[in-house]
Amino acid sequence: MKTMKVTFRVNDEKVTLQVRPYETLLETLRERLDLIGAKEACGMGACGACTVVVNGIPLRSCLVLTPEVDGASVTTVEGLRKDGKLHPLQEAFMEKGAVQCGFCTSGMILTAKALLDRNKRPTKKEITKTISSNICRCTGYKKIVEAVEEAAKKSV
Amino acid sequence: MILPKFEYKKAENIAKAIAFYERYNGKVRYLAGGTDLIPLVKLRLSTPMAIIDLKGIEELKAISHQGGWLLIGANVTLFELKNNDTVREYFPALYESLDATSCETLQMRGTIGGNILQDTRCLLYNQSLEWRTARGFCFKMGGETCNVVPNARACFSNYCSDNALSLMALSASVKLAGPQGERKMRLEKIFSGDGRNPFTLMPGEVLTEILIPMKRSKGAYKKLRVRDSIDYPLLGVAVSIKGNTGKVCVGGIGPTPLVYNLKNINDSTFKDVAEKAYSDARPVSNTTLSPDYRKKMVSVLIQRASKKVLQEGK
Amino acid sequence: MENEFTTVGKRVVRSDSLAKVTGKACYTADIKLPGMLAAKVLRSPYPHAKILRIDLKRALKVPGVKAAISGFDTYGIKWGVFRYTKDHPMLPTDKVRYIGEDVAAVAAVDEETAQEALSYIRVDYEPLPAVFDPEEAMQEGVSQIHKEFTNNINIHVHIDVGKVDEAMNKAFLVREDTFKAAGEAYAMMEPYAVVASYKNGFLDLWMPNAGPHVRAKALSNLLKIPLNRVRIRHINSGGAFGGRSEVSPGDLIASFLSIKAGRPVKLVLSREENATSTRQVHDIIATVKTGMKKDGTIVAKDYRVVFDGGAYSSTGPIATSIPFYVYEECYRFPNVRYNGYRVFTNKGIRGMYGCHGRAFLAGNEAQMDFMANELGMDPMEIRLKNGLTSGEVTATKSKITSCGLKETIQKASERTGFKKKWAKTQRFKGIGMGCVAMMCGFPMGFRSGSSCYVKMNEDGQVTLVTGVVDNGQGNESLAIQVASEVLGVPMEDINLVNADTEVTNLDPGSYSQASTFVGANAVKVACENARRKIVAIAAEKLGVKEADIGLKDRIAYSKKTPDNKMRISWVVREAFFRGEPIVATGSFFPKIDFEREWVSRPWGQMAGTFSFGTSVAEVVIDRETGKVTIPHFTAAHDCGRPINPMAVEGQMEGSIEQAGVATIMEGNLWEGGFLLNPDLLEYKVPLACDMPDIETIIVSSRDPEGPFGAKEGGLTVRMNAHSAVACAVSNATGTVFRELPLTPDRVLDALERKKGVKR
């Protein structure tokens, strides 16, 4: 089957790739662009570990076909660090002990980032509701919520 | 998990979408948010030759008021619809069902059209090809039995859209466009009653618009699920009333939602509906939690939803 | 709490966090090697069937396929954790014993090709009768899954202490209950994956594992490759919880494929394969009979516990015994009989689990509450009465040294207002308590100890080499923190080389709760040995006594006159100059009874020490739907001393999710040999919105042997959180629970039963 040309922005860089029509964004990021931060934990959209931000919206990249993002702007966890400076969420996750095995971390951070981008001072309830889109098996979520609260404080 | 081979086409408008449908002899699936379709394709429950992306069709993203109706384009996301002022003010049942759907992130991707047209579900259906081959193909997969109910002659898969229930309770209609032209019908009419092919949509038809009569309503949506996010409804109940009339819609228990029309609502109306719905409901062991329990909850959730509705505005 | 240390006891940022928040941490599926092939496994569709024939010829002809194997290509060696449980050939040649069992595999240039090639493998089966219920499996005349194990009984653990029948007869109050629990799924976020690279006679492997040394040994045996040529490399691991300890068919498959193809091979399992074909957790049926005196003293316990083990032995006697041991290490049982049966069924293989034994543990605790109530006592009193204290010996002869059990009970009760809430019974609201102990390590022969090697480089930086394994709990950071404290250099100056069998020395692995007590202890000993060398030179150069030297922030200084100091890096250089570099090894071997054996000799010192914990759960039940919500959960854990309090809290909080909230929603669903929820949607892992408000209390009993007094970082909560929730629900419904998980339908049944039973 013929490949398709897709052009989009990843972490502010333009990329043009030949991809399979039935290739997912998760596969493209991990296999063609070596952006391994997004993980496949279930492949079926049930867990959120593959979450990346596309045109400002947090999406499960395992359910997105790469041709769909033609012309779009994609942000992965690798794109959060700017000029060597960590994003407040990255710092807060570290400082609050919100990272254990780390497999859910990149998806969790991006889901939280999308929240903070549209709501600068979310309540604990709002944060809990948003991150209930992502499964974490290790932390019990408490420190994750604390980290997002902390990052919100630091961002204002 | 790798997808099977298919081609990808993006349609600029409805006519082009239908043209693709015809070009591939109907062996296509229309793609909106993909949150229902892509998992089905990954499981090889659907193996189209091509996937036709409808997200480029601008007119399907609009929300407008026209001639006493709220018109919602099928590609409007659940999140956007939930945050729409009219929905919040006029249609509380719909607001609640949108908020209860899945999780926030999936609400931002899923569309109202896709949510309505999601395939019915069953624990023994939504499994990989290897799993299903070992178990044996059931009616819904083209086989000759039901894997849940021995000797059954029908499919008991469950229709799990939270929002179709509240939309029906709000007397919504839908517009469809296909190779044979356009048509409009009440939302209830899209259900075929057959779990194998749950919808009456004709080959190639695209759901384009949902129409809700612009009348303020009182309403509620109650959802039975194990976890408070992500999970599909094990049972969903939507209640919506305008003045003295209203509707109760029950879903998640079988392929076709139950719809009850209410007239001259009085103190015993909801108790009567709860009893009737309890007796009409036929859940089987194709989800987590026992069918007896889910059946019992039909009555409980109807009474809870109605209690909330009757208290509204007091 | 006073803290005389620089790093230890501080809430430090873990050393592994930065890589994980920036997406740079590498896990097995992220590995890319030149020429790497993709592997796929063909699995059994039958729960029990003879293998008549496996034909790989057509698969090998598919363009892009570079190798294929079945059990007929292996040496046919059977592996087992114990000499008497060697039943697993990894790839079978005689028969398949569960749906999802590995039967054959291919390696190809990409995943698509490998997947296609699988459909060309031909396997002829002859189905055999299968058995799915463990009680049924033990009956006469039932299909035998392994011919070496009669009546499908894999393991029978028999423990008999004192005179149980006599004591029961004399007891004032006797009660017997049977509890059931569905087996859980580990549901670690990382699906299993292996990369194997065979080159020039050396086999390098990467996979998420809890103990590379044990893994390498197993593979060396199975592959007939000398141990020094099987090198398991360090890799990040996405959670294990006890499910990644044993060698896996995937390891063997990837290795053989790499050997045949002459190229690296990567095998990544799907979520479904992870659920059906790696480890699952035992379903358990526990019959608990307890005899008590009028004053609440437990005089006798008589147990019969059946563990549904699935198709192979796995950890065998360990899983069959652990729930009993963590309980007998917590309470005083003068007379106790335990009959634990691990039974084969034609389902996936069940292994050890961090939350293992919930039917048994929660059952014991809930029954105890109701018996106490009959005697006019509350749950706190009965536990304080029967709880073990420092200096006592358990029923199977383990001595307890440091013991913070009492303090955990008191603190958890105080913080939650337990006594008052318990006394004020409210309908549909409940409060419950769960206690447990945790052995810090258990007898694993010569692998019970750990060894560490440390060197200091000329710039004063440290290289620390230890077998300690991290599966996400923070063990790597722990090792670095301990070294930092002893050597007086900041954590960022320490490079850790760990869990690499070519370089690191033996360690029990992150299995058996030994990483702090044993692994970090060895790190401490090694660093102290290195420290002595630094101190000797510094003392000489500064003209003071060795006892006067302190090491902190890269400086060696006189404690009496701190301005008299020198850089540690200078000391290191001086040491090089003298031909005696700052290099040291250190080992720690816990004082355990090596004659102890799970089946043949189940008594003697189990571990070097034990941790203790108490959890309290508060629940509210919706009377019409039976849904349980847990608004508050308080956990108190005696970890000896928290090396990193933030990491200990993290473990406790995660345990509340994985064991506490799990009690009301987690369980594998089966239809015969088919796992109905091998995914993350229908298997209910709790989400943030399902979690209670959590309070954690760390108790420090200062263990005499543990590094800085530390024991283990939070596992008691994984083994008592389910008890706390089940006891709270039992309290709220007024009846002892019967079956876990306590899903709404079950709770509603309990409420209705109670109504019916009312006089």
Side-chain angles (χ1 to χ4, degrees):
Chain A
M1 185 169 279
K2 271 177 70 183
T3 56
M4 296 177 63
K5 183 167 131 180
V6 182
T7 301
F8 56 105
R9 295 192 78 78
V10 181
N11 299 329
D12 270 339
E13 259 185 58
K14 185 168 161 195
V15 296
T16 298
L17 301 167
Q18 288 289 336
V19 303
R20 302 183 300 274
Y22 52 98
E23 187 169 312
T24 63
L25 179 58
L26 180 63
E27 288 167 338
T28 303
L29 292 171
R30 288 177 56 77
E31 271 135 57
R32 297 191 196 273
L33 299 173
D34 288 327
L35 294 166
I36 52 149
K39 305 294 185 202
E40 175 158 339
C42 79
M44 295 285 287
C47 74
C50 65
T51 303
V52 298
V53 178
V54 179
N55 290 347
I57 306 202
L59 297 185
R60 280 143 152 73
S61 62
C62 73
L63 299 183
V64 176
L65 302 175
T66 307
E68 291 180 75
V69 303
D70 189 59
S73 175
V74 177
T75 305
T76 71
V77 73
E78 291 90 341
L80 295 185
R81 200 175 199 172
K82 294 248 155 46
D83 302 317
K85 202 161 173 272
L86 292 173
H87 188 281
L89 276 167
Q90 290 172 308
E91 268 177 15
F93 266 62
M94 286 175 62
E95 272 154 37
K96 288 292 181 181
V99 183
Q100 288 190 33
C101 86
F103 211 74
C104 78
T105 301
S106 79
M108 194 70 81
I109 287 179
L110 288 165
T111 294
K113 176 186 188 308
L115 171 66
L116 294 184
D117 286 346
R118 67 172 194 274
N119 179 351
K120 291 211 186 314
R121 285 304 279 271
T123 61
K124 185 164 167 202
K125 205 165 168 211
E126 287 170 326
I127 295 172
T128 303
K129 185 172 184 176
T130 296
I131 67 160
S132 293
S133 307
N134 294 56
I135 299 180
C136 172
R137 193 46 159 165
C138 297
T139 66
Y141 308 99
K142 183 174 178 186
K143 291 185 185 329
I144 294 176
V145 173
E146 286 170 3
V148 180
E149 283 177 309
E150 180 71 19
K153 271 192 225 139
K154 291 226 169 99
S155 304
V156 179
Chain B
M1 201 191 296
I2 198 159
L3 282 161
K5 290 182 167 62
F6 53 77
E7 292 199 45
Y8 169 91
K9 296 287 177 213
K10 191 162 181 173
E12 298 149 31
N13 55 51
I14 309 268
K16 290 246 163 73
I18 295 169
F20 279 127
Y21 177 88
E22 291 175 321
R23 171 148 74 134
Y24 285 97
N25 280 320
K27 293 196 170 67
V28 305
R29 289 298 305 262
Y30 292 127
L31 173 70
T35 60
D36 189 55
L37 178 64
I38 303 295
L40 291 172
V41 180
K42 284 198 177 185
L43 293 175
R44 277 74 178 157
L45 285 166
S46 178
T47 47
M49 271 185 73
I51 285 186
I52 314 302
D53 189 354
L54 303 177
K55 290 194 293 297
I57 305 175
E58 284 308 311
E59 77 213 53
L60 297 183
K61 289 191 198 147
I63 305 179
S64 64
H65 299 206
Q66 247 181 70
W69 296 84
L70 181 68
L71 307 175
I72 306 165
N75 278 355
V76 172
T77 67
L78 304 176
F79 192 73
E80 198 193 323
L81 194 56
K82 178 171 87 171
N83 288 309
N84 177 278
D85 288 329
T86 308
V87 169
R88 277 178 192 251
E89 269 182 60
Y90 279 62
F91 311 126
L94 179 60
Y95 174 79
E96 288 188 5
S97 65
L98 289 165
D99 194 44
T101 304
S102 182
C103 61
E104 202 173 82
T105 309
L106 282 168
Q107 288 170 15
M108 291 174 174
R109 177 67 167 174
T111 64
I112 186 67
N115 186 257
I116 292 169
L117 290 179
Q118 60 178 268
D119 198 3
T120 52
R121 306 183 62 82
C122 164
L123 265 185
L124 280 78
Y125 174 74
N126 295 90
Q127 301 283 0
S128 69
L129 179 60
E130 290 81 9
W131 197 105
R132 293 180 292 111
T133 307
R135 183 66 182 78
F137 280 23
C138 68
F139 284 137
K140 198 167 160 66
M141 300 169 207
E144 292 175 11
T145 47
C146 170
N147 283 335
V148 176
V149 183
N151 303 318
R153 281 186 277 168
C155 170
F156 290 88
S157 55
N158 303 307
Y159 178 68
C160 295
S161 164
D162 299 290
N163 303 298
L165 305 178
S166 49
L167 285 168
M168 283 189 287
L170 288 163
S171 305
S173 292
V174 292
K175 272 205 185 133
L176 304 159
Q180 285 98 332
E182 288 188 8
R183 53 185 182 134
K184 175 180 163 188
M185 58 191 189
R186 291 290 287 263
L187 180 53
E188 290 93 297
K189 298 278 188 226
I190 70 165
F191 298 101
S192 69
D194 181 0
R196 285 174 292 186
N197 292 300
F199 305 111
T200 59
L201 266 67
M202 299 204 289
E205 262 189 321
V206 178
L207 173 64
T208 56
E209 201 172 60
I210 296 97
L211 306 90
I212 311 176
M214 279 290 294
K215 289 200 191 107
R216 278 181 201 276
S217 65
K218 292 195 283 185
Y221 179 73
K222 294 294 178 194
K223 179 170 181 169
L224 179 71
R225 56 179 170 181
V226 173
R227 298 181 301 180
D228 284 338
S229 182
I230 300 182
D231 291 357
Y232 283 94
L234 295 167
L235 168 65
V237 169
V239 174
S240 190
I241 64 177
K242 290 168 228 184
N244 223 8
T245 61
K247 283 193 200 213
V248 173
C249 296
V250 181
I253 37 137
T256 315
L258 304 169
V259 181
Y260 302 93
N261 293 302
L262 312 171
K263 287 192 172 72
N264 305 317
I265 295 172
N266 59 47
D267 285 338
S268 69
T269 306
F270 288 104
K271 189 159 164 289
D272 294 339
V273 175
E275 266 174 42
K276 177 107 195 7
Y278 172 79
S279 123
D280 290 340
R282 302 261 152 82
V284 301
S285 297
N286 57 3
T287 65
T288 186
L289 302 196
S290 76
D292 280 346
Y293 173 77
R294 284 159 65 218
K295 194 171 154 81
K296 245 185 239 161
M297 291 303 110
V298 170
S299 170
V300 172
L301 292 199
I302 289 177
Q303 300 204 66
R304 284 197 174 179
S306 57
K307 195 167 169 195
K308 190 234 169 203
V309 168
L310 293 173
Q311 276 173 355
E312 247 175 62
K314 273 204 179 149
Chain C
M1 188 173 80
E2 34 72 49
N3 188 359
E4 64 271 38
F5 301 115
T6 312
T7 335
V8 163
K10 297 267 159 70
R11 303 174 72 83
V12 301
V13 170
R14 276 172 44 168
S15 56
D16 53 320
S17 299
L18 180 62
K20 289 172 178 174
V21 301
T22 52
K24 298 295 183 197
C26 189
Y27 299 79
T28 305
D30 302 326
I31 294 174
K32 288 179 183 142
L33 297 174
M36 191 167 75
L37 301 169
K40 280 270 182 225
V41 179
L42 184 70
R43 301 184 178 283
S44 168
Y46 294 104
H48 200 197
K50 271 198 212 144
I51 296 173
L52 301 174
R53 185 164 91 112
I54 303 177
D55 190 339
L56 304 171
K57 285 201 287 292
R58 278 187 73 204
L60 282 162
K61 291 208 177 85
V62 173
V65 171
K66 303 299 179 189
I69 50 158
S70 75
F72 295 103
D73 296 292
T74 68
Y75 295 107
I77 296 170
K78 288 188 188 171
W79 170 85
V81 175
F82 295 87
R83 238 164 294 159
Y84 53 90
T85 61
K86 284 191 164 155
D87 62 0
H88 202 180
M90 299 294 124
L91 282 168
T93 50
D94 58 340
K95 54 179 183 164
V96 289
R97 294 173 170 85
Y98 66 99
I99 295 172
E101 182 165 9
D102 307 63
V103 173
V106 299
V109 292
D110 56 40
E111 200 187 331
E112 245 188 311
T113 308
Q115 185 67 46
E116 197 203 328
L118 284 189
S119 59
Y120 289 99
I121 297 177
R122 176 163 160 194
V123 185
D124 292 335
Y125 294 103
E126 185 189 299
L128 296 166
V131 59
F132 307 115
D133 177 270
E135 296 276 19
E136 191 194 311
M138 289 195 278
Q139 303 306 314
E140 287 298 325
V142 168
S143 191
Q144 295 296 284
I145 299 174
H146 292 273
K147 57 178 186 294
E148 305 84 358
F149 294 94
T150 341
N151 293 109
N152 291 313
I153 296 175
N154 172 220
I155 299 287
H156 174 202
V157 170
H158 178 75
I159 293 167
D160 214 326
V161 174
K163 299 191 166 106
V164 172
D165 298 318
E166 197 182 296
M168 274 303 176
N169 285 332
K170 288 204 201 120
F172 177 80
L173 180 63
V174 174
R175 183 173 166 140
E176 182 177 302
D177 295 274
T178 298
F179 303 95
K180 282 182 163 179
E184 304 98 306
Y186 296 86
M188 62 283 275
M189 288 305 279
E190 182 194 9
Y192 197 66
V194 193
V195 170
S197 179
Y198 186 77
K199 208 154 74 165
N200 305 322
F202 284 86
L203 177 66
D204 285 309
L205 292 138
W206 295 260
M207 84 287 282
N209 70 80
H213 295 279
V214 172
R215 189 74 62 110
K217 184 72 177 84
L219 280 169
S220 162
N221 291 347
L222 289 167
L223 298 165
K224 293 198 181 174
I225 295 177
L227 183 57
N228 71 318
R229 286 168 179 247
V230 177
R231 306 184 295 206
I232 294 183
R233 300 301 193 183
H234 175 271
I235 190 72
N236 283 298
S237 170
F241 314 116
R244 299 249 154 107
S245 319
E246 304 153 62
V247 66
S248 160
D251 305 341
L252 189 87
I253 285 168
S255 301
F256 267 123
L257 288 172
S258 180
I259 292 167
K260 278 181 183 263
R263 290 163 69 163
V265 171
K266 182 198 276 186
L267 170 66
V268 180
L269 265 54
S270 66
R271 171 59 48 184
E272 178 186 334
E273 290 175 295
N274 195 70
T276 59
S277 312
T278 63
R279 291 292 180 266
Q280 297 163 354
V281 180
H282 297 75
D283 306 89
I284 296 173
I285 306 159
T287 301
V288 178
K289 186 173 177 187
T290 305
M292 273 187 190
K293 278 194 195 154
K294 194 169 183 190
D295 68 356
T297 308
I298 295 172
V299 293
K301 285 272 192 188
D302 195 355
Y303 295 121
R304 178 183 181 272
V305 188
V306 174
F307 296 84
D308 183 345
Y312 290 93
S313 298
S314 176
T315 68
I318 301 178
T320 317
S321 315
I322 290 292
F324 169 77
Y325 285 122
V326 299
Y327 208 62
E328 70 122 32
E329 286 154 9
C330 186
Y331 293 106
R332 202 172 299 114
F333 300 147
N335 306 285
V336 56
R337 183 187 297 133
Y338 178 80
N339 281 299
Y341 299 91
R342 188 177 184 279
V343 183
F344 289 124
T345 58
N346 291 114
K347 302 206 281 282
I349 308 170
R350 281 85 192 282
M352 255 308 288
Y353 182 44
C355 322
H356 182 48
R358 58 183 182 167
F360 176 83
L361 295 167
N364 266 283
E365 293 283 279
Q367 183 195 67
M368 179 158 69
D369 285 348
F370 277 72
M371 291 178 79
N373 194 45
E374 273 197 65
L375 300 172
M377 295 173 76
D378 72 30
M380 190 185 166
E381 290 170 311
I382 196 93
R383 285 167 177 76
L384 286 172
K385 186 163 210 78
N386 292 288
L388 289 170
T389 58
S390 180
E392 286 193 72
V393 174
T394 72
T396 62
K397 306 199 176 90
S398 280
K399 181 142 186 239
I400 309 284
T401 49
S402 68
C403 179
L405 176 65
K406 186 168 172 188
E407 203 182 332
T408 63
I409 295 174
Q410 285 169 337
K411 286 212 162 121
S413 300
E414 251 170 62
R415 206 65 70 87
T416 53
F418 188 92
K419 281 183 101 71
K420 241 170 129 191
K421 285 187 182 141
W422 177 268
K424 181 177 130 206
T425 38
Q426 276 186 288
R427 292 198 73 208
F428 309 113
K429 277 198 169 157
I431 191 164
M433 182 180 287
C435 295
V436 84
M438 208 71 228
M439 65 286 274
C440 298
F442 43 66
M444 301 211 298
F446 64 89
R447 294 197 178 87
S448 307
S450 182
S451 276
C452 174
Y453 165 83
V454 62
K455 66 163 179 141
M456 285 193 87
N457 307 311
E458 63 191 81
D459 59 353
Q461 299 247 334
V462 176
T463 300
L464 189 66
V465 182
T466 163
V468 163
V469 182
D470 200 325
N471 288 125
Q473 63 275 73
N475 291 336
E476 286 175 7
S477 192
L478 166 74
I480 293 174
Q481 209 176 343
V482 167
S484 163
E485 185 65 50
V486 177
L487 295 172
V489 302
M491 284 176 70
E492 67 252 33
D493 284 7
I494 299 172
N495 294 345
L496 178 69
V497 176
N498 71 307
D500 180 319
T501 63
E502 180 174 36
V503 178
T504 64
N505 235 313
L506 276 184
D507 179 86
S510 65
Y511 181 75
S512 76
Q513 304 79 241
S515 296
T516 305
F517 186 73
V518 178
N521 231 336
V523 170
K524 181 163 181 275
V525 173
C527 292
E528 279 166 350
N529 291 340
R531 183 195 170 100
R532 262 190 288 280
K533 296 185 180 182
I534 299 168
V535 164
I537 293 175
E540 184 198 308
K541 291 293 173 181
L542 296 176
V544 296
K545 288 211 166 71
E546 285 185 19
D548 184 38
I549 294 286
L551 302 183
K552 191 174 170 170
D553 292 334
R554 305 183 180 108
I555 303 284
Y557 62 96
S558 153
K559 288 187 239 174
K560 283 204 198 95
T561 42
D563 282 331
N564 187 8
K565 61 190 179 189
M566 65 191 353
R567 290 208 204 107
I568 293 175
S569 57
W570 199 95
V571 173
V572 175
R573 275 186 234 131
E574 176 63 21
F576 272 118
F577 201 67
R578 297 177 186 195
E580 284 178 25
I582 308 296
V583 151
T585 52
S587 298
F588 182 81
F589 231 90
K591 299 191 187 88
I592 54 187
D593 183 345
F594 288 100
E595 298 305 305
R596 196 183 222 290
E597 210 288 322
W598 302 94
V599 175
S600 61
R601 213 271 236 166
W603 66 87
Q605 190 70 28
M606 167 74 83
T609 193
F610 306 86
S611 61
F612 297 85
T614 302
S615 284
V616 171
E618 292 171 62
V619 305
V620 176
I621 302 181
D622 181 320
R623 73 188 69 187
E624 285 181 307
T625 66
K627 183 167 180 173
V628 177
T629 20
I630 311 171
H632 294 288
F633 197 104
T634 303
H637 172 71
D638 166 26
C639 62
R641 179 202 293 271
I643 305 285
N644 181 351
M646 206 157 64
V648 176
E649 286 165 12
Q651 283 297 289
M652 295 170 74
E653 291 160 12
S655 301
I656 293 166
E657 173 193 332
Q658 200 176 28
V661 184
T663 307
I664 59 172
M665 60 177 68
E666 283 192 42
N668 274 338
L669 300 169
W670 292 89
E671 188 208 63
F674 287 95
L675 179 57
L676 297 173
N677 54 350
D679 61 287
L680 289 181
L681 173 63
E682 294 300 337
Y683 184 82
K684 310 293 179 187
V685 177
L687 302 165
C689 54
D690 301 312
M691 296 293 296
D693 278 339
I694 291 174
E695 223 190 307
T696 53
I697 302 164
I698 294 176
V699 165
S700 300
S701 61
R702 300 292 157 92
D703 188 82
E705 292 277 304
F708 302 103
K711 295 193 278 193
E712 67 77 19
L715 213 73
T716 61
V717 187
R718 271 195 168 80
M719 288 218 180
N720 66 20
H722 31 50
S723 304
V725 173
C727 287
V729 173
S730 302
N731 175 227
T733 57
T735 172
V736 174
F737 81 93
R738 287 189 185 166
E739 192 167 356
L740 302 178
L742 289 163
T743 45
D745 48 354
R746 287 208 176 111
V747 176
L748 197 63
D749 268 348
L751 288 173
E752 292 180 349
R753 247 188 296 131
K754 181 75 179 155
K755 258 196 251 167
V757 162
K758 241 189 158 98
R759 317 162 211 79

